[in-house]
Amino acid sequence: MATQHSRSAARLMMAPAVILLLGWMLVPLTMTLFFSFKKYLPLRGGDLGWVGFDNYVRFVTSSAFWPSVVTTLIIVGGVLAITVVLGVLLAILLNQPMWGQGMVRILVIAPFFVMPTVSALVWKNMFMDPNYGLLAHLWKFFGATPVEWLSQASLPSIVMIVSWQWLPFATLILLTAIQSLDSEQLEAAEMDGAPALKRFGYITLPHLSRAITVVILIQTIFLLSIFAEIFVTTGGAFGTKTLSYLIFQRVLESQNVGLGSAGGVYAIILANIVAIFLMRIVGKNLDA
């Protein structure tokens, strides 16, 4: 058993990491709250004093605020639906014995290690360019007019790009969960005459519920702050302006740090609301 001395020594050794982590989180949050109550224009007069909740009112009453929130939620929902469904299918496929299984798994997981900016540039120039992209040549081959993806189908394009990047993460988590499934259950069900769909619905899918919950929670946290893909591809045009991009415009393009900080506080509130909602809906699977 751990003694009082050993517990004290453990706390002492953990203290620097805990202090660093708290500072890393609390200092930016405190500064964001501080500037959200001030009118601070770095290139147009600097600190112009306290304005109270004026920045919050201006940001939430902006004509771009609610559309940006809706766009953010649409992208998050679309990416989650695609990555979870395809992740389950890919995980089942990769779990089957095949030649070169290890290499196939590496190739499937590889896109997750590509930087978001690089991924967006590759999709924008190599695949979605209406003149020279691979998809444009495919359309022309079948006699159809190439689609200008980033203007005519902007939101689906963003969802496609982000899904391609996050699908390997979902596949990896779900593949690990499938490999922990007791094969004797599936063999027994097969011997009893249960078809493949029923074995999937009554055995495999319930076993994956906790892994799916983890995928949804982790991806949602990161997807709510999606920025790089939009900055590189559409620049927030054609209805793709998310809340993070709106904050970027207020801070860097409009040089209004106070207004952008108020937007940052709204982003934190939105992230917490979504996280609490998800935890209430699917978080109970973690205790199962």
Side-chain angles (χ1 to χ4, degrees):
M1 293 180 62
T3 63
Q4 181 64 33
H5 178 72
S6 62
R7 287 195 294 267
S8 300
R11 294 192 188 100
L12 183 63
M13 288 186 288
M14 292 176 58
V18 173
I19 293 173
L20 181 62
L21 181 61
L22 287 175
W24 181 59
M25 293 188 299
L26 293 179
V27 171
L29 178 59
T30 303
M31 293 182 64
T32 300
L33 288 171
F34 175 77
F35 283 112
S36 67
F37 294 105
K38 297 178 72 68
K39 186 175 183 180
Y40 187 69
L41 311 175
L43 302 182
R44 293 179 291 165
D47 189 352
L48 301 180
W50 299 91
V51 293
F53 287 94
D54 182 62
N55 288 325
Y56 290 92
V57 175
R58 287 183 57 193
F59 196 91
V60 78
T61 55
S62 168
S63 60
F65 175 73
W66 289 110
S68 69
V69 173
V70 173
T71 300
T72 302
L73 296 178
I74 289 174
I75 292 176
V76 172
V79 173
L80 287 178
I82 292 174
T83 54
V84 169
V85 173
L86 293 184
V88 170
L89 297 178
L90 276 175
I92 294 174
L93 178 63
L94 293 176
N95 193 47
Q96 305 302 316
M98 67 178 73
W99 182 85
Q101 188 179 55
M103 183 60 66
V104 173
R105 289 178 179 178
I106 292 174
L107 292 176
V108 170
I109 295 171
F112 184 65
F113 300 101
V114 179
M115 295 178 60
T117 306
V118 177
S119 172
L121 283 172
V122 168
W123 275 90
K124 177 182 179 181
N125 298 316
M126 185 178 294
F127 294 104
M128 294 182 172
D129 188 280
N131 297 315
Y132 309 107
L134 293 179
L135 294 178
H137 288 294
L138 182 64
W139 255 241
K140 292 176 183 178
F141 177 79
F142 288 102
T145 303
V147 177
E148 295 185 7
W149 291 93
L150 296 177
S151 58
Q152 297 178 353
S154 52
L155 264 183
S157 299
I158 296 295
V159 170
M160 189 186 308
I161 294 172
V162 181
S163 297
W164 178 81
Q165 186 176 7
W166 279 96
L167 180 59
F169 171 80
T171 303
L172 181 61
I173 299 297
L174 295 169
L175 176 60
T176 304
I178 284 182
Q179 290 176 335
S180 67
L181 176 62
D182 188 0
S183 59
E184 293 182 358
Q185 298 182 28
L186 293 174
E187 292 173 0
E190 187 176 2
M191 292 178 62
D192 290 338
L197 285 178
K198 286 192 175 181
R199 294 199 301 270
F200 172 77
Y202 288 99
I203 299 176
T204 305
L205 193 58
H207 180 77
L208 292 177
S209 60
R210 295 184 66 185
I212 292 174
T213 300
V214 171
V215 169
I216 291 175
L217 290 177
I218 294 178
Q219 286 192 174
T220 300
I221 293 172
F222 286 94
L223 292 175
L224 284 172
S225 59
I226 180 175
F227 172 79
E229 294 85 348
I230 296 171
F231 179 79
V232 170
T233 54
T234 63
F238 309 111
T240 61
K241 185 182 297 181
T242 60
L243 186 57
S244 296
Y245 200 89
L246 180 61
I247 295 170
F248 160 77
Q249 287 185 323
R250 295 294 183 266
V251 175
L252 293 182
E253 294 185 2
S254 302
Q255 289 296 318
N256 194 331
V257 176
L259 195 60
S261 297
V265 175
Y266 280 123
I268 295 171
I269 295 172
L270 174 64
N272 280 275
I273 291 174
V274 173
I276 293 172
F277 174 76
L278 288 174
M279 287 299 295
R280 287 184 177 274
I281 297 298
V282 297
K284 59 184 178 181
N285 290 326
L286 294 175
D287 299 325

Coordinates of all heavy atoms in Angstrom, one line a residue, residues 74-127:
I74 N -23.4 22.0 -39.0 CA -23.6 21.1 -40.2 C -22.3 20.4 -40.6 O -22.4 19.2 -40.9 CB -24.1 22.0 -41.4 CG1 -25.5 22.5 -41.2 CG2 -24.0 21.2 -42.7 CD1 -26.0 23.4 -42.2
I75 N -21.2 21.1 -40.5 CA -19.9 20.4 -40.9 C -19.6 19.3 -39.8 O -19.2 18.2 -40.2 CB -18.8 21.5 -40.9 CG1 -19.0 22.4 -42.1 CG2 -17.4 20.8 -41.0 CD1 -18.0 23.5 -42.2
V76 N -19.8 19.6 -38.6 CA -19.5 18.7 -37.5 C -20.4 17.4 -37.7 O -19.9 16.3 -37.7 CB -19.7 19.3 -36.1 CG1 -19.6 18.2 -35.0 CG2 -18.7 20.3 -35.9
G77 N -21.7 17.7 -37.9 CA -22.6 16.5 -38.0 C -22.3 15.7 -39.3 O -22.4 14.5 -39.2
G78 N -22.0 16.4 -40.4 CA -21.7 15.6 -41.6 C -20.5 14.8 -41.5 O -20.5 13.6 -41.9
V79 N -19.4 15.4 -40.9 CA -18.2 14.6 -40.8 C -18.4 13.5 -39.8 O -17.9 12.4 -40.1 CB -17.1 15.6 -40.3 CG1 -15.8 14.8 -40.0 CG2 -16.8 16.6 -41.3
L80 N -19.1 13.7 -38.7 CA -19.3 12.6 -37.8 C -20.1 11.4 -38.4 O -19.7 10.3 -38.2 CB -20.1 13.1 -36.5 CG -19.3 14.0 -35.6 CD1 -20.2 14.4 -34.4 CD2 -18.1 13.2 -35.0
A81 N -21.1 11.7 -39.2 CA -21.9 10.7 -39.8 C -21.1 9.9 -40.8 O -21.1 8.6 -40.8 CB -23.1 11.3 -40.5
I82 N -20.3 10.6 -41.6 CA -19.4 9.9 -42.6 C -18.4 9.0 -41.9 O -18.2 7.9 -42.3 CB -18.8 10.9 -43.6 CG1 -19.9 11.5 -44.4 CG2 -17.8 10.2 -44.5 CD1 -19.4 12.6 -45.3
T83 N -17.6 9.6 -41.0 CA -16.5 8.9 -40.4 C -16.9 7.7 -39.5 O -16.3 6.7 -39.5 CB -15.7 9.9 -39.5 OG1 -16.5 10.6 -38.6 CG2 -15.0 10.9 -40.4
V84 N -18.1 7.9 -38.8 CA -18.5 6.8 -38.0 C -19.0 5.6 -38.9 O -18.6 4.4 -38.7 CB -19.6 7.2 -37.0 CG1 -20.3 6.0 -36.4 CG2 -19.1 8.1 -36.0
V85 N -19.8 5.9 -39.9 CA -20.4 4.8 -40.7 C -19.3 4.2 -41.5 O -19.1 2.9 -41.5 CB -21.5 5.4 -41.7 CG1 -21.9 4.3 -42.7 CG2 -22.7 5.9 -40.9
L86 N -18.5 5.0 -42.2 CA -17.4 4.4 -43.0 C -16.3 3.8 -42.1 O -15.7 2.8 -42.5 CB -16.8 5.4 -44.0 CG -17.7 6.0 -45.1 CD1 -16.9 6.9 -46.0 CD2 -18.3 4.8 -45.9
G87 N -16.1 4.4 -41.0 CA -15.1 3.8 -40.0 C -15.5 2.4 -39.6 O -14.6 1.5 -39.5
V88 N -16.7 2.2 -39.3 CA -17.2 0.9 -38.9 C -17.0 -0.1 -40.0 O -16.5 -1.2 -39.8 CB -18.7 0.9 -38.4 CG1 -19.2 -0.5 -38.3 CG2 -18.8 1.7 -37.2
L89 N -17.4 0.3 -41.2 CA -17.2 -0.6 -42.4 C -15.8 -0.9 -42.7 O -15.4 -2.1 -43.0 CB -17.9 0.0 -43.6 CG -19.4 0.2 -43.5 CD1 -19.9 0.9 -44.8 CD2 -20.1 -1.1 -43.3
L90 N -14.9 0.1 -42.6 CA -13.5 -0.1 -42.9 C -12.9 -1.0 -41.8 O -12.0 -1.8 -42.1 CB -12.8 1.2 -43.0 CG -12.8 1.9 -44.3 CD1 -12.2 3.3 -44.2 CD2 -12.1 1.1 -45.4
A91 N -13.3 -0.7 -40.6 CA -12.7 -1.5 -39.5 C -13.1 -3.0 -39.6 O -12.2 -3.9 -39.4 CB -13.2 -1.0 -38.1
I92 N -14.3 -3.3 -40.0 CA -14.7 -4.7 -40.2 C -13.9 -5.3 -41.4 O -13.5 -6.5 -41.3 CB -16.2 -4.8 -40.5 CG1 -17.0 -4.4 -39.3 CG2 -16.6 -6.2 -41.0 CD1 -18.5 -4.3 -39.5
L93 N -13.7 -4.5 -42.5 CA -13.0 -5.0 -43.6 C -11.5 -5.3 -43.3 O -10.9 -6.3 -43.7 CB -13.1 -4.0 -44.8 CG -12.3 -4.3 -46.1 CD1 -12.9 -5.6 -46.7 CD2 -12.4 -3.2 -47.0
L94 N -10.9 -4.3 -42.6 CA -9.5 -4.5 -42.2 C -9.3 -5.6 -41.2 O -8.1 -6.0 -41.0 CB -8.9 -3.2 -41.7 CG -8.9 -2.0 -42.7 CD1 -8.4 -0.7 -42.0 CD2 -7.9 -2.4 -43.8
N95 N -10.3 -6.0 -40.5 CA -10.2 -7.1 -39.5 C -10.2 -8.4 -40.2 O -9.9 -9.4 -39.5 CB -11.3 -7.0 -38.5 CG -11.0 -7.8 -37.3 OD1 -9.9 -7.8 -36.7 ND2 -12.0 -8.6 -36.9
Q96 N -10.5 -8.5 -41.5 CA -10.6 -9.8 -42.2 C -9.1 -10.2 -42.6 O -8.3 -9.3 -43.0 CB -11.5 -9.7 -43.4 CG -12.9 -9.2 -43.1 CD -13.6 -10.1 -42.1 OE1 -13.5 -11.3 -42.2 NE2 -14.3 -9.5 -41.2
P97 N -8.8 -11.4 -42.6 CA -7.5 -11.9 -43.0 C -7.3 -11.6 -44.5 O -8.2 -12.0 -45.3 CB -7.5 -13.4 -42.7 CG -8.9 -13.8 -42.6 CD -9.7 -12.6 -42.1
M98 N -6.2 -11.0 -44.9 CA -6.0 -10.7 -46.3 C -4.5 -10.6 -46.5 O -3.7 -10.4 -45.6 CB -6.7 -9.4 -46.7 CG -6.1 -8.1 -46.0 SD -6.8 -6.6 -46.5 CE -8.4 -6.7 -45.7
W99 N -4.1 -10.7 -47.8 CA -2.7 -10.5 -48.1 C -2.2 -9.1 -48.0 O -2.9 -8.2 -48.4 CB -2.4 -11.0 -49.5 CG -1.0 -10.9 -49.9 CD1 0.0 -11.9 -49.7 CD2 -0.3 -9.8 -50.6 NE1 1.2 -11.4 -50.2 CE2 1.0 -10.2 -50.8 CE3 -0.8 -8.6 -51.1 CZ2 2.0 -9.4 -51.4 CZ3 0.2 -7.8 -51.7 CH2 1.5 -8.2 -51.9
G100 N -1.1 -8.8 -47.3 CA -0.6 -7.5 -47.1 C -1.4 -6.7 -46.1 O -1.6 -5.5 -46.3
Q101 N -2.0 -7.3 -45.1 CA -2.9 -6.7 -44.2 C -2.3 -5.5 -43.5 O -2.9 -4.4 -43.4 CB -3.5 -7.7 -43.2 CG -4.6 -7.2 -42.3 CD -5.1 -8.2 -41.4 OE1 -4.3 -8.8 -40.6 NE2 -6.4 -8.5 -41.4
G102 N -1.0 -5.7 -43.1 CA -0.3 -4.6 -42.3 C -0.1 -3.4 -43.2 O -0.3 -2.3 -42.7
M103 N 0.3 -3.6 -44.5 CA 0.5 -2.5 -45.4 C -0.8 -1.7 -45.7 O -0.9 -0.5 -45.7 CB 1.1 -3.0 -46.7 CG 1.5 -1.8 -47.6 SD 2.6 -0.6 -47.0 CE 4.1 -1.6 -46.8
V104 N -1.9 -2.5 -45.8 CA -3.2 -1.9 -46.1 C -3.6 -1.0 -44.9 O -4.1 0.1 -45.1 CB -4.2 -3.0 -46.4 CG1 -5.6 -2.4 -46.5 CG2 -3.9 -3.7 -47.7
R105 N -3.4 -1.5 -43.7 CA -3.8 -0.7 -42.5 C -3.0 0.6 -42.4 O -3.6 1.6 -42.1 CB -3.6 -1.6 -41.3 CG -4.6 -2.7 -41.1 CD -4.3 -3.5 -39.9 NE -5.3 -4.6 -39.7 CZ -5.2 -5.5 -38.7 NH1 -4.2 -5.5 -37.8 NH2 -6.1 -6.4 -38.6
I106 N -1.7 0.5 -42.8 CA -0.9 1.7 -42.7 C -1.4 2.7 -43.8 O -1.5 3.9 -43.5 CB 0.6 1.3 -43.0 CG1 1.1 0.5 -41.8 CG2 1.4 2.6 -43.2 CD1 2.5 0.0 -42.0
L107 N -1.7 2.3 -45.0 CA -2.2 3.2 -46.0 C -3.5 3.8 -45.7 O -3.8 5.0 -46.0 CB -2.3 2.4 -47.3 CG -1.0 1.9 -48.0 CD1 -1.3 1.1 -49.2 CD2 -0.1 3.1 -48.3
V108 N -4.4 3.0 -45.0 CA -5.7 3.6 -44.6 C -5.5 4.6 -43.5 O -6.2 5.7 -43.5 CB -6.6 2.4 -44.1 CG1 -7.9 3.0 -43.5 CG2 -7.0 1.6 -45.3
I109 N -4.6 4.4 -42.6 CA -4.4 5.3 -41.5 C -3.6 6.5 -41.8 O -3.7 7.6 -41.2 CB -3.8 4.6 -40.3 CG1 -4.7 3.5 -39.8 CG2 -3.4 5.5 -39.1 CD1 -4.1 2.5 -38.8
A110 N -2.8 6.5 -42.9 CA -1.8 7.5 -43.3 C -2.4 8.9 -43.4 O -1.8 9.9 -43.0 CB -1.1 7.1 -44.6
P111 N -3.7 9.1 -44.0 CA -4.2 10.5 -44.1 C -4.3 11.2 -42.8 O -4.3 12.5 -42.8 CB -5.5 10.3 -44.8 CG -5.4 9.0 -45.5 CD -4.5 8.1 -44.7
F112 N -4.4 10.5 -41.7 CA -4.6 11.2 -40.4 C -3.3 12.0 -40.0 O -3.4 13.0 -39.3 CB -4.9 10.2 -39.3 CG -5.2 10.8 -38.0 CD1 -6.3 11.7 -37.8 CD2 -4.3 10.6 -36.9 CE1 -6.6 12.2 -36.6 CE2 -4.6 11.2 -35.7 CZ -5.7 12.0 -35.5
F113 N -2.2 11.6 -40.6 CA -0.9 12.3 -40.2 C -0.6 13.4 -41.2 O 0.5 14.0 -41.1 CB 0.2 11.2 -40.2 CG 0.0 10.1 -39.2 CD1 -0.5 8.9 -39.6 CD2 0.2 10.3 -37.9 CE1 -0.7 7.9 -38.7 CE2 0.0 9.3 -37.0 CZ -0.5 8.1 -37.4
V114 N -1.5 13.7 -42.1 CA -1.3 14.8 -43.1 C -1.8 16.1 -42.4 O -2.9 16.1 -41.9 CB -2.0 14.5 -44.4 CG1 -1.8 15.7 -45.3 CG2 -1.5 13.3 -45.0
M115 N -1.0 17.1 -42.5 CA -1.4 18.4 -41.9 C -2.7 18.9 -42.6 O -2.9 18.7 -43.8 CB -0.3 19.5 -42.0 CG 0.9 19.1 -41.2 SD 2.2 20.4 -41.5 CE 1.3 21.9 -40.9
P116 N -3.7 19.5 -41.8 CA -4.9 20.0 -42.4 C -4.7 20.9 -43.6 O -5.4 20.9 -44.6 CB -5.6 20.7 -41.2 CG -5.0 20.0 -40.0 CD -3.6 19.7 -40.3
T117 N -3.7 21.8 -43.5 CA -3.4 22.7 -44.5 C -3.0 22.0 -45.8 O -3.5 22.3 -46.9 CB -2.3 23.7 -44.1 OG1 -2.7 24.4 -42.9 CG2 -2.2 24.8 -45.2
V118 N -2.1 21.1 -45.7 CA -1.6 20.3 -46.8 C -2.8 19.5 -47.4 O -2.9 19.4 -48.6 CB -0.5 19.4 -46.4 CG1 0.0 18.5 -47.6 CG2 0.7 20.2 -45.9
S119 N -3.6 18.8 -46.5 CA -4.7 18.1 -47.0 C -5.7 18.9 -47.8 O -6.1 18.5 -48.9 CB -5.4 17.5 -45.8 OG -6.6 16.8 -46.2
A120 N -6.0 20.1 -47.3 CA -6.9 21.0 -48.0 C -6.3 21.5 -49.4 O -7.0 21.5 -50.4 CB -7.2 22.2 -47.2
L121 N -5.0 21.7 -49.4 CA -4.4 22.1 -50.7 C -4.4 21.0 -51.7 O -4.6 21.3 -52.9 CB -2.9 22.6 -50.4 CG -2.7 24.0 -49.8 CD1 -1.3 24.2 -49.4 CD2 -3.2 25.1 -50.7
V122 N -4.1 19.8 -51.3 CA -4.2 18.7 -52.2 C -5.6 18.5 -52.8 O -5.7 18.3 -54.0 CB -3.7 17.4 -51.4 CG1 -4.0 16.1 -52.3 CG2 -2.2 17.4 -51.1
W123 N -6.6 18.5 -51.9 CA -8.0 18.4 -52.4 C -8.3 19.5 -53.3 O -9.0 19.3 -54.4 CB -8.9 18.3 -51.3 CG -9.1 16.9 -50.7 CD1 -8.3 16.3 -49.7 CD2 -10.0 15.9 -51.1 NE1 -8.7 15.0 -49.5 CE2 -9.8 14.8 -50.3 CE3 -11.0 15.9 -52.1 CZ2 -10.5 13.6 -50.5 CZ3 -11.8 14.7 -52.2 CH2 -11.5 13.6 -51.4
K124 N -7.9 20.7 -53.0 CA -8.3 21.9 -53.8 C -7.7 21.9 -55.1 O -8.4 22.2 -56.2 CB -7.9 23.2 -53.0 CG -8.2 24.5 -53.8 CD -7.7 25.7 -53.0 CE -8.0 27.0 -53.7 NZ -7.5 28.2 -53.0
N125 N -6.4 21.6 -55.2 CA -5.7 21.7 -56.5 C -5.6 20.4 -57.3 O -5.7 20.4 -58.5 CB -4.2 22.1 -56.2 CG -4.2 23.5 -55.6 OD1 -4.9 24.4 -56.0 ND2 -3.4 23.7 -54.6
M126 N -5.5 19.3 -56.6 CA -5.4 18.0 -57.3 C -6.7 17.3 -57.7 O -6.8 16.7 -58.7 CB -4.5 17.0 -56.5 CG -4.2 15.7 -57.2 SD -3.2 14.6 -56.2 CE -1.7 15.6 -56.1
F127 N -7.7 17.5 -56.8 CA -9.0 16.8 -57.0 C -10.1 17.7 -57.5 O -10.9 17.4 -58.4 CB -9.4 16.1 -55.8 CG -8.5 14.9 -55.4 CD1 -7.6 15.1 -54.3 CD2 -8.5 13.7 -56.1 CE1 -6.7 14.1 -54.0 CE2 -7.7 12.7 -55.7 CZ -6.8 12.8 -54.7

